[in-house]
Amino acid sequence: MLKLENVTKTFGKIVALKDINFNIGDSEFVFITGASGAGKTTLLRLMLRELLPDSGKIELDKEDITKLPSKQIPRLRQKIGVVFQDFKVLGERTIKENVEVALAVIGLPKNDWEARVEHVLKLVGLTDRADLFPAQLSGGELQRVSLARALVVNPKIILADEPTGNLDWETADKLMDLFEKINSEGKSIIMATHNKLIIDKMNKRVIELKEGGVFSDSESKVKTKSEKGKK
Amino acid sequence: MNIHIKTAWDHVRRAPFQAMAAIFVLTITFFVITIITILGYSSSQVLKYFETRPQVITFLKDDITPEKISALQNKLEADNRVSEVSYISKEQALEIYKKATAGNPLLSELVSPSIFPASLEFSLVDLSYANDLIEEIKGEEIVDQVGFTASLGGEETLSDVVNRLRTFSNYIKIGGGAFALLLTSTSFLVLIVIIGMRMTSRRGEIEVLDLIGATPGFIRSPIIYEAIIYAITGVFIGWLIALLLVLYATPSLISYFGEIPVVPKDTLKLFGLFGLILGAEFLIGLFLAVSGSILAVLRVKRK
Ligand SMILES: Nc1ncnc2c1ncn2[C@@H]1O[C@H](COP(=O)(O)OP(=O)(O)O)[C@@H](O)[C@H]1O
Ligand SMILES: [Mg+2]
């Protein structure tokens, strides 16, 4: 469903990504890893059309998103759920309202909100926190809010940039179980992380970036669940 | 409630001082605009009143036939230097006299209708025609005397008064207009500043909304609604205060100015005038709110 072809991105003299090629299938779970500064965030931002590559193609559902006119960008982003390292929940709105905002953004009629919001809050285990404000929640809970907001619009693909970066190991582990569950329900997940413990434990496909290039890709091993992803 | 209006309302509640600043400035602006509009209306009413007053009175000889009178009246009406010709009979002249001296019974009882001549009164399209026309009319056989009544006590002629009023009326229009424009610009700037502050304080939220696929319209809407809330509230309060003030002053204005219609005497017409002003002010307010918020949004975006 997502295909990158010879994607290069520079910032002035800095080459953040060079000649990236890979393919991600439907309902695949992929880790993008690599040292800090390797280009993970840049890659995700390209997929969201926050940035345009200098050259190359990025196809989502057979559509080259680098060619998308800027008017169409909201439509693209509405198909993608995003989860950020720093959660990016709206501090002045309750948990429930934070999730509802995503539904308002895609223009879903209000009558259909209740059921969807209840469903995702239950999924991430925050039903009883629905009317609290973000300041009253822990980091792990906030990241689940962020995930609920991403999920509620029912995207086919979820991008997560270091979602466990601000969480302790145990909380991160629980969050990963949630991602795993979501993936098993058919959603593609592309997660940037440098947390080797998580990668090792999850046993998913791993694309490792190094200095802006693909250093390794465990693609071939992905279908056979018994094998481990390369570091 | 529409989610954007709710968001806008939340902002207003969370920053009451910003909201108050915006609303106060708009209130003052529209209060002044209303008052200036009413003053402009009144001054042009007064001007019109004096402009259309009869300026020439042609006193007719006694005992002439109605046919001759209407012949002269027709002739005057056909003259394009002349406007608003009216015939005042002896009896009407007496009535007018009695009214004018109502406070003084001695004066009004002293007279009988016969001492007042009938007359034809008219206004001039332009006062410069006065001399020629008066000479011509003096030649008419039924005419006794011609009075150029355009003097309002003292040596002031009506044309002086009209000219003075016209200048005064223009001052109100130009000065008031400039002042209103200055206030309107201030309101506009205050709106932009406050909306700009709102944009800055919402920056994080806007970034998130943008990333989860909100359209620019979605992001802009609460901000525009907020500006509209300020504008509508300001317009309404400013207008209402002006209305109350005028209503309060109307009885004394009417008794002071007498038959000069400085404010519409009939209540329905007064409210009609104010309704019209309110409508126009709402449009101005909406324009300020929408253009101001769009400008503020564009400015923040460019940074
Ligand atoms: N907006 C930017 N302007 C200039 N350089 C940037 C910008 N964003 C990222 N970079 C550079 O691109 C490289 C990759 O960054 P990034 O994708 O954030 O790495 P990662 O997320 O893997 O830590 C880094 O060297 C970084 O300094
Ligand atoms: Mg990063």
Side-chain angles (χ1 to χ4, degrees):
Chain A
M1 73 172 312
L2 183 73
K3 187 173 168 193
L4 274 75
E5 251 176 57
N6 308 319
V7 174
T8 296
K9 176 70 189 172
T10 58
F11 297 101
K13 279 185 184 155
I14 302 167
V15 182
L17 293 170
K18 55 173 187 276
D19 226 12
I20 304 286
N21 286 285
F22 60 75
N23 238 314
I24 293 173
D26 284 340
S27 28
E28 206 174 343
F29 195 139
V30 183
F31 284 110
I32 312 278
T33 188
S36 179
K40 306 181 292 293
T41 299
T42 305
L43 196 57
L44 294 186
R45 292 176 76 194
L46 285 170
M47 294 173 191
L48 267 180
R49 251 307 283 274
E50 249 192 284
L51 299 171
L52 268 176
D54 299 345
S55 62
K57 270 208 297 203
I58 303 174
E59 277 182 18
L60 182 69
D61 285 337
K62 308 216 158 53
E63 185 180 31
D64 186 355
I65 65 167
T66 64
K67 299 256 157 48
L68 222 52
S70 53
K71 271 212 148 149
Q72 301 274 346
I73 293 175
R75 189 182 54 80
L76 165 75
R77 291 180 182 167
Q78 287 173 18
K79 289 200 296 192
I80 302 173
V82 256
V83 176
F84 309 91
Q85 176 173 359
D86 56 353
F87 323 134
K88 292 203 197 300
V89 293
L90 309 178
E92 293 179 334
R93 295 179 198 253
T94 64
I95 304 317
K96 191 171 164 217
E97 285 168 346
N98 262 281
V99 177
E100 285 173 346
V101 158
L103 294 176
V105 162
I106 64 165
L108 190 80
K110 247 183 160 175
N111 290 338
D112 305 340
W113 290 9
E114 182 96 31
R116 285 232 210 168
V117 172
E118 247 169 50
H119 173 75
V120 292
L121 284 182
K122 193 167 164 224
L123 183 71
V124 302
L126 289 175
T127 308
D128 51 352
R129 306 272 197 289
D131 295 319
L132 296 184
F133 283 89
Q136 298 167 296
L137 266 57
S138 72
E141 287 164 340
L142 288 176
Q143 196 55 292
R144 269 141 60 197
V145 174
S146 167
L147 183 56
R149 180 180 64 196
L151 282 173
V152 77
V153 298
N154 207 7
K156 280 178 75 179
I157 183 167
I158 289 184
L159 304 183
D161 191 2
E162 316 252 11
T164 58
N166 287 348
L167 305 177
D168 58 80
W169 160 251
E170 224 168 293
T171 314
D173 194 34
K174 278 194 203 134
L175 187 72
M176 293 322 285
D177 291 345
L178 207 51
F179 272 104
E180 173 112 63
K181 183 171 174 210
I182 291 158
N183 174 240
S184 70
E185 286 171 5
K187 295 195 195 310
S188 308
I189 292 175
I190 301 175
M191 185 180 296
T193 185
H194 54 240
N195 190 330
K196 290 204 173 67
L197 281 174
I198 284 179
I199 294 172
D200 287 347
K201 185 177 176 234
M202 295 290 285
N203 187 27
K204 301 286 183 192
R205 176 178 171 192
V206 179
I207 297 172
E208 186 174 355
L209 299 180
K210 198 169 184 185
E211 287 160 10
V214 175
F215 179 69
S216 69
D217 183 348
S218 65
E219 182 171 26
S220 52
K221 301 172 184 175
V222 111
K223 303 294 174 199
T224 55
K225 282 211 159 177
S226 57
E227 276 186 283
K228 270 196 164 187
K230 261 202 235 165
K231 294 191 283 178
Chain B
M1 204 182 350
N2 176 314
I3 186 165
H4 299 309
I5 297 178
K6 185 181 179 301
T7 309
W9 181 241
D10 284 347
H11 292 154
V12 174
R13 274 193 334 202
R14 271 188 217 119
F17 294 120
Q18 285 174 27
M20 271 157 69
I23 290 172
F24 281 177
V25 165
L26 283 153
T27 298
I28 293 169
T29 302
F30 285 98
F31 169 74
V32 170
I33 289 180
T34 311
I35 293 293
I36 286 172
T37 311
I38 291 294
L39 277 180
Y41 170 87
S42 301
S43 70
S44 56
Q45 285 301 105
V46 173
L47 187 62
K48 198 163 123 205
Y49 173 82
F50 282 107
E51 275 176 340
T52 55
R53 264 170 70 114
Q55 293 155 338
V56 179
I57 302 184
T58 309
F59 296 103
L60 305 174
K61 290 175 179 158
D62 282 344
D63 308 322
I64 40 167
T65 61
E67 289 76 28
K68 283 188 174 163
I69 294 173
S70 54
L72 180 59
Q73 187 169 1
N74 290 339
K75 188 177 162 190
L76 285 171
E77 272 165 1
D79 195 317
N80 54 19
R81 293 169 295 181
V82 168
S83 65
E84 323 222 6
V85 184
S86 60
Y87 171 69
I88 311 288
S89 66
K90 281 172 173 290
E91 291 74 20
Q92 283 167 328
L94 178 66
E95 278 307 305
I96 291 168
Y97 176 80
K98 276 189 171 159
K99 245 192 194 159
T101 59
N104 193 334
L106 205 64
L107 278 178
S108 51
E109 272 162 30
L110 268 173
V111 296
S112 75
S114 54
I115 72 163
F116 289 101
S119 61
L120 280 168
E121 300 183 347
F122 56 87
S123 304
L124 297 167
V125 173
D126 190 303
L127 289 171
S128 65
Y129 299 134
N131 284 338
D132 289 351
L133 198 68
I134 288 169
E135 284 314 307
E136 280 172 40
I137 291 171
K138 275 183 181 160
E140 294 284 336
E141 63 148 314
I142 63 167
V143 172
D144 181 21
Q145 275 179 29
V146 180
F148 190 44
T149 69
S151 63
L152 294 157
E155 57 284 2
E156 256 182 337
T157 66
L158 186 59
S159 73
D160 288 337
V161 172
V162 167
N163 280 336
R164 275 235 312 270
L165 279 174
R166 194 170 286 140
T167 318
F168 178 67
S169 171
N170 281 341
Y171 279 151
I172 289 186
K173 278 175 197 146
I174 295 168
F179 190 48
L181 205 67
L182 183 74
L183 276 174
T184 309
S185 315
T186 312
S187 291
F188 188 64
L189 292 176
V190 168
L191 267 181
I192 289 182
V193 168
I194 286 175
I195 294 162
M197 286 163 79
R198 183 73 72 226
M199 296 283 299
T200 317
S201 71
R202 277 190 74 207
R203 184 159 263 173
E205 181 173 345
I206 289 172
E207 192 191 319
V208 174
L209 289 174
D210 187 44
L211 284 176
I212 65 175
T215 57
F218 184 95
I219 293 171
R220 238 181 350 238
S221 293
I223 289 163
I224 296 177
Y225 278 122
E226 186 181 345
I228 290 177
I229 291 175
Y230 296 149
I232 300 253
T233 314
V235 164
F236 187 71
I237 299 178
W239 173 86
L240 191 68
I241 296 174
L243 173 67
L244 293 178
L245 198 74
V246 169
L247 283 182
Y248 176 76
T250 297
S252 30
L253 284 178
I254 288 178
S255 74
Y256 183 76
F257 283 97
E259 57 181 304
I260 306 171
V262 281
V263 287
K265 279 179 194 161
D266 116 51
T267 328
L268 219 59
K269 240 179 114 184
L270 184 69
F271 279 105
L273 179 65
F274 266 92
L276 220 63
I277 294 174
L278 181 64
E281 287 179 346
F282 271 143
L283 289 183
I284 299 173
L286 281 181
F287 175 75
L288 291 183
V290 174
S291 57
S293 42
I294 288 177
L295 204 72
V297 171
L298 289 180
R299 267 185 58 82
V300 171
K301 245 194 198 157
R302 237 179 274 130
K303 274 185 221 157

